[in-house]
Every structure is written in structure tokens, then in C-alpha cells.
Amino acid sequence: MSKNKKNFVYYELASACIFMVGVLYTLLPTLYGSNNLGELNVNDLFLSMTLVLSCLNLALFYIIGKNPTSECLYFSICASLCGIVNLIITPYFENSVTLAISILAITITFSLVKLFTVDYYHDRKDAFYYIEGILAIILLIVGMIISISVFNNPVIEIMELGFFMIIMGVIESIKGATKCLLKAPRFLGKIKF
């Protein structure tokens, strides 16, 4: 198996894990019971989300190696820092405000990392910067909408956190698939630039 295919498999496995955590968060009110969700702290779920994102991206960085942009390493650092910010601001604000600030922080930091990746690919005149730019804009818009629409209802907050994870998993899956396709000679031969 070529290195390109192995990287594709690793990206898709990490994206599937992120997607499944999002589905689990979305189903949590049904599985746990919406009456019992008052006992659950949504900020703890956000911390577990940042832990999953940080560990998966760090594992991708070590498995794949240093890719040109080191995007996985920066995602891991950003997720860890957003988790630490969540821990710091939790005692000072109520849960819904803390969650909104934390989602906004992780959205902005991930979008900035994607912006640096877009700049890297644009400087090298690689067509992948179009895809990366569109995905960065989608991530930024979705994250801002979710952070604005956080209510003081634990069921809705948990489901919005799940939707955010699902969308991140889909975005990472699209990124991995297009990166693999743009490096495949059979696919590039059929595209006319």
C-alpha cells in the first residue's frame, strides 16, 4: 500500500472516530434520559471533546509524520489550549456562557490553523487550497452559529456539541478524501485544468 493510501486510511479513521463521538453526544439525551441530564456537566463533555481531538490529532502527527503544514500538531495544541481555557473560565461564568466561549475559541483557533494551511498551499500553487479554504469557512460559520445559539438547556447544549463534532468529522473526512484524490495520478489525468 502506498504512503498516500495509508495516510488516507489514517485520516479517515480519525475522522470516523470524531464523527462517532459526535453521534454519541447527539444520542446522549436519548441514551441517558433527558430527565437525568441535569446531573451531567456540559463543560465536562467539552473537555472530553477537546481530549479526543487533541489525542487523535497528536496520534495522526506521530503516525503520518511531519507533513508540510504540521496541521495535526497545531490542531492538537489548539484543542488542548481550548480545554485549558474552558477549565480556567468555568468558575467565573455559568455553563452556557462557558460553553459558548469555548466553542467559539476552538472554532477560531481551528480556522486560523486552516488559514495557515490555505496560505501554505496557495504559495505552492496547489489546487488543494480551494478545498481547504472552503472547509475553513464552513467550519468558522458552523462554529459561530453553534456558539451563538447555545441555550441554558443541557439537552440542547449536548446535542449542539454533538453536531459540532459530527460536522468536524465530516470536514476532516472531506479534506482527507480530496487530498488523496488530488495526489492520485488516475484522478488527475481525468481532470482538465
Side-chain angles (χ1 to χ4, degrees):
M1 190 182 287
S2 70
K3 184 178 179 183
N4 191 23
K5 288 181 183 177
K6 285 182 184 178
N7 291 350
F8 171 71
V9 169
Y10 294 139
Y11 274 117
E12 294 305 313
L13 282 175
S15 301
C17 288
I18 293 170
F19 183 83
M20 292 308 296
V21 169
V23 168
L24 180 69
Y25 281 3
T26 307
L27 293 176
L28 200 60
T30 306
L31 299 174
Y32 199 76
S34 60
N35 296 334
N36 299 330
L37 285 178
E39 305 166 3
L40 219 82
N41 189 355
V42 181
N43 288 319
D44 291 342
L45 288 175
F46 181 81
L47 287 174
S48 67
M49 179 189 89
T50 58
L51 182 68
V52 166
L53 288 173
S54 181
C55 290
L56 280 174
N57 282 307
L58 193 61
L60 274 175
F61 178 72
Y62 283 124
I63 290 171
I64 293 174
K66 185 179 186 282
N67 59 357
T69 61
S70 300
E71 186 178 41
C72 294
L73 179 65
Y74 297 137
F75 275 166
S76 178
I77 292 169
C78 289
S80 301
L81 289 176
C82 289
I84 292 169
V85 166
N86 185 315
L87 281 174
I88 292 171
I89 65 174
T90 297
Y92 302 111
F93 299 105
E94 63 182 47
N95 282 344
S96 60
V97 174
T98 304
L99 184 64
I101 291 170
S102 300
I103 289 176
L104 191 62
I106 202 165
T107 300
I108 290 172
T109 56
F110 277 18
S111 296
L112 287 174
V113 169
K114 285 198 171 289
L115 182 66
F116 288 126
T117 306
V118 167
D119 183 48
Y120 174 82
Y121 286 118
H122 183 264
D123 289 346
R124 278 133 189 93
K125 305 216 183 324
D126 192 347
F128 186 63
Y129 83 92
Y130 289 116
I131 304 295
E132 195 73 42
I134 291 170
L135 295 178
I137 290 170
I138 290 172
L139 178 68
L140 186 64
I141 290 171
V142 167
M144 292 177 106
I145 289 172
I146 287 177
S147 67
I148 289 171
S149 66
V150 169
F151 298 106
N152 203 8
N153 185 350
V155 175
I156 295 174
E157 290 174 349
I158 291 171
M159 290 182 72
E160 285 181 342
L161 201 58
F163 289 139
F164 184 69
M165 288 287 285
I166 288 171
I167 290 169
M168 284 194 58
V170 169
I171 285 174
E172 291 300 312
S173 178
I174 291 171
K175 181 185 83 169
T178 53
K179 190 182 283 188
C180 181
L181 283 175
L182 287 176
K183 289 184 179 180
R186 286 190 296 172
F187 181 75
L188 287 176
K190 296 177 183 177
I191 296 178
K192 296 178 182 170
F193 291 104

